[in-house]
Amino acid sequence: MGTGTPHTVKRARRVVDAVVDGVADLGVHHIFGVDGANIEDLYDALFVTDRAVRGVVAKHEFGAATMADGYARTTGGLGVVAATSGGGAMNLVAGLAESYTSKVPVLALIGQPPTTLEGTGAFQDSSGKAGSIHAVRLFTEITRYCARIERPDDLAAHLERAVAAAWSGGSAVLLLPKDIQQATVDDAVTFRPPPRRSGHDPDGLTRIRDMLAAAGRTGKIVLVAGDQVARDDARDQLRALAAAVDAAVGVAPDAKDVYPADQPGFCGVAGTMGHTELIEAVRRSALCLLIGTRLPATARAGLDTAVAGIPVASVGVEPPYVSAVHATSLDLRQTLAEFVDQFSSGSRRPDPVTHSGLTALEVPESPGLGLRYREAVDAIAAMMPAGSDVFADAGNTGAAVVHHLPVSRGSRFVVALGMGGMGYSFGAAIGAAFARGSQIHGDVSAPRPRTFVIAGDGAFYMHGMEIHTAIEHHLPVTFVVFNNNAHAMCLTREQLFYCGRYSFNRFRPSMLAEGVGVMFPSLPSYSTRSLDQLFDALEAATATGGPSFIGVDCDADEFPPFLPFLTHPAIEDRNRDRPASRAQ
């Protein structure tokens, strides 16, 4: 863990020691969590181990779960989170549900009361006995695998199954009673990391290859790529395929980093925060191939009619929500490479469609005080170092970031739309920063990439205190909080769908940056109320080696670039009644 001095007296190997060794064998360098009586033995094992794995204590188990999620999304490997029993275990639910829904491989190690006390009124009992909560049933609903370790010798088999299930896409849980954690285990009992499956579907891939070949002879192909492309590290293969089949390319809202906007054929983001160029490209195409996305509602809005009139194919972990010819792939890097091999030998010279600029969604003018979403996002884009990772929270702020923020090559862009839990970005960015640090470990000449959190004040109030974890570990994370003193998306809905007759979602004014600066004197903190102040703050914040905080005052009544709002009759009437103006 990097503190204290490990024990020098040889001790019997415990179950928790075997767990730590197993995590290290997987190439995982950090276990995120919150300590407690029924998980403290795991932290003791982290202290005494000589393996390259550390324990990181978060402020809340949801934050720890999102750290593991962000770590996994950044490394393309496994994230690991640990929690104690009772409330600690329950606090993991929302984070593990995000990983489950977004197909992110996360393993949760959850302490439990000793087996001898199960069903006898033990504190925080969740064995399912004597009327207690049944943790296995609870977590089975939001994970790919859940098991309670009943005997020390069962550990290796359950760990292998849990890891295999997580690698198939989602979260997995092992419940570890305290006496089982402390039990000794034979040195011969070893964990063997299971091979990662490719989910190869030769018949389905053949059908899709035939569809690509036929479409290439008759018209244009459009590729719509999702987050699985990033998780499988298949960006290069996606670009190669786009060139090989002369395709236009769009991305799902949570996949802006998989195909750079300056690449040939890029035609924007799909869905509720997307661009009309992609809709038109799909409508005119001979085939739309979905790659690593199920095309959920947030990515499908505006495309429904377009995809209904053309052939649609799909390749990825699961079939899409629209009718399509689907081929299963758990390894898009391999699958797309096979497609490239099939089509790159053709003699046809690519003539990709290029767009000099994408059409921004037009939002109503907002007369309130503070910066506008687009100008703030443009300023962040101008000052963000190349290669920076970006974690955005869902909501009005997230919509503006998805729609307006360009993502540089080599960056990771994440917006958690699986569950859309507010405050996700704070922990996830911290997990990503740890992952980036591990990737350059030992190379003193390599600069540490900066990670950006872009979130609203509502998200900050939920889980923003995880910035304390970034301070403790001196992580290069810049927290940019758009402060409009409201749950702005809920406020917008009140205005549109309930005629603005009331609001439960406006807050009393707060001074977040000033408050954070007082709370954490070592944290560079900047309050910005003008564009010049924001540029200055971004320049100063990105020059520091550790974390920084920027508060951006903005208007709660500004509408975000979010299609369901902007196509509401009240907004369309307002737009017709006012003189033409530039897009916001």
Side-chain angles (χ1 to χ4, degrees), residues 492-511:
T492 304
R493 297 181 67 85
E494 288 174 335
Q495 293 173 330
L496 280 180
F497 304 122
Y498 302 97
C499 304
R501 293 181 293 120
Y502 55 80
S503 179
F504 288 94
N505 292 290
R506 290 188 189 272
F507 308 150
R508 293 183 180 182
S510 60
M511 302 171 70

Side-chain angles (χ1 to χ4, degrees), residues 106 192 228 238 398 407 437 469 486 532 543:
V106 169
R192 295 177 178 81
Q228 189 188 343
L238 174 64
V407 179
T469 308
D532 286 343

Side-chain angles (χ1 to χ4, degrees), residues 56-57 59 67 426 430 433-434 448 460 464-477 479 515-525 545-549:
V56 176
V57 172
K59 308 288 97 61
M67 288 176 196
F426 292 91
I430 289 169
F434 274 112
R448 296 187 70 186
F460 170 79
M465 284 301 100
E466 291 299 346
I467 62 176
H468 181 265
T469 308
I471 296 169
E472 286 288 296
H473 295 274
H474 197 63
L475 298 175
V477 182
F479 300 91
V516 167
V518 172
M519 183 180 296
F520 304 114
S522 66
L523 177 69
S525 183
S548 52
F549 185 97

Side-chain angles (χ1 to χ4, degrees), residues 77-365:
L78 185 75
V80 181
V81 61
T84 191
S85 53
M90 298 302 107
N91 284 342
L92 287 177
V93 168
L96 295 181
E98 170 61 42
S99 300
Y100 174 88
T101 306
S102 294
K103 308 295 183 292
V104 179
V106 169
L107 172 66
L109 307 169
I110 303 177
Q112 299 286 278
T115 56
T116 54
L117 297 180
E118 292 175 351
T120 65
F123 181 57
Q124 299 181 334
D125 188 4
S126 58
S127 64
K129 299 177 181 178
S132 64
I133 288 174
H134 200 305
V136 172
R137 290 180 183 172
L138 171 69
F139 286 107
T140 294
E141 293 301 314
I142 57 168
T143 61
R144 303 292 168 193
Y145 184 83
C146 178
R148 183 187 298 275
I149 308 300
E150 303 286 357
R151 301 183 309 123
D153 290 345
D154 294 339
L155 172 67
H158 281 302
L159 185 56
E160 288 174 17
R161 292 171 194 151
V163 171
W167 272 344
S168 72
S171 47
V173 166
L174 293 179
L175 300 166
L176 303 166
K178 187 174 179 68
D179 55 330
I180 300 298
Q181 294 179 55
Q182 296 173 330
T184 58
V185 63
D186 193 316
D187 286 343
V189 176
T190 57
F191 163 69
R192 295 177 178 81
R196 300 186 70 165
R197 296 180 295 122
S198 66
H200 199 61
D201 180 2
D203 291 340
L205 295 177
T206 297
R207 288 194 296 271
I208 292 176
R209 279 196 292 267
D210 291 343
M211 294 176 73
L212 284 167
R217 290 190 294 268
T218 61
K220 192 73 177 176
I221 296 168
V222 177
L223 311 178
V224 179
D227 178 67
Q228 189 188 343
V229 175
R231 288 186 279 112
D232 290 355
D233 192 20
R235 296 176 182 85
D236 291 343
Q237 290 72 23
L238 174 64
R239 289 195 292 272
L241 178 62
V245 300
D246 184 21
V249 182
V251 296
D254 58 352
K256 290 193 65 173
D257 57 336
V258 305
Y259 196 86
D262 60 357
Q263 283 292 110
F266 182 73
C267 51
V269 178
T272 55
M273 299 158 272
H275 299 94
T276 57
E277 284 82 0
L278 178 57
I279 297 173
E280 290 304 312
V282 171
R283 183 177 290 121
R284 296 192 303 266
S285 69
L287 173 69
C288 178
L289 174 60
L290 309 177
I291 302 176
T293 177
R294 300 189 72 188
L295 211 68
T298 52
R300 196 169 64 244
L303 285 175
D304 298 81
T305 303
V307 297
I310 62 166
V312 179
S314 164
V315 59
V317 172
E318 291 184 314
Y321 294 106
V322 298
S323 178
V325 174
H326 177 73
T328 299
S329 172
L330 301 183
D331 186 354
L332 287 177
R333 188 172 185 170
Q334 173 187 332
T335 299
L336 298 186
E338 292 177 4
F339 285 161
V340 172
D341 289 342
Q342 178 76 22
F343 292 100
S344 61
S345 60
S347 59
R348 185 165 58 101
R349 290 176 60 84
D351 182 24
V353 173
T354 58
H355 295 286
S356 58
L358 297 171
T359 304
L361 290 171
E362 187 174 4
V363 302
E365 293 181 357

Side-chain angles (χ1 to χ4, degrees), residues 374-455:
R374 183 170 185 178
E375 63 182 2
V377 171
D378 286 348
I380 294 169
M383 301 300 291
M384 183 183 297
S388 297
D389 294 329
V390 178
F391 286 77
D393 244 84
N396 282 9
T397 298
V401 172
V402 168
H403 191 66
H404 294 301
L405 184 73
V407 179
S408 64
R409 190 168 300 182
S411 300
R412 190 70 174 92
F413 177 88
V414 175
V415 55
L417 297 177
M419 288 286 103
M422 291 177 65
Y424 164 91
S425 60
F426 292 91
I430 289 169
F434 274 112
R436 292 299 195 198
S438 295
Q439 289 168 347
I440 65 170
H441 181 70
D443 183 359
V444 295
S445 64
R448 296 187 70 186
R450 181 154 290 273
T451 303
F452 280 77
V453 168
I454 309 178

